[in-house]
Amino acid sequence: MRGVNLAGVEKAWVSFNYRREELDHTGDYVSFDVSPDAGRTWVEFARFQGDADDYSTHRGYYYDITPYAGKDTMIRFMGSPGL
């Protein structure tokens, strides 16, 4: 988890590249989540699921987190319990 003070910003975006590798089961996943209140509640923005491999392909996305921006904003990546 990472925290960042986004109080007073007009816009807040998160971008990252990812590649799925060896997600062996349909229940395997990694989620990207945002919290506006220092981790008390979380909003799932994306879920990257298996059974898949992206091999050498890297995908990239931008997420507008402006509605959740504040002094206690946090982001995290969570893996499924089996990973």
Side-chain angles (χ1 to χ4, degrees), residues 25-77:
H25 307 288
T26 56
D28 288 349
Y29 67 87
V30 174
S31 68
F32 165 61
D33 310 320
V34 177
S35 172
D37 54 17
R40 289 187 294 279
T41 61
W42 291 93
V43 176
E44 184 177 286
F45 268 71
R47 181 174 284 221
F48 311 101
Q49 289 187 273
D51 185 9
D53 267 310
D54 289 330
Y55 302 103
S56 62
T57 303
H58 287 80
R59 300 168 191 263
Y61 290 97
Y62 291 86
Y63 297 94
D64 182 1
I65 65 167
T66 304
Y68 306 97
K71 68 179 185 69
D72 294 321
T73 304
M74 297 184 84
I75 64 169
R76 71 178 179 186
F77 293 90

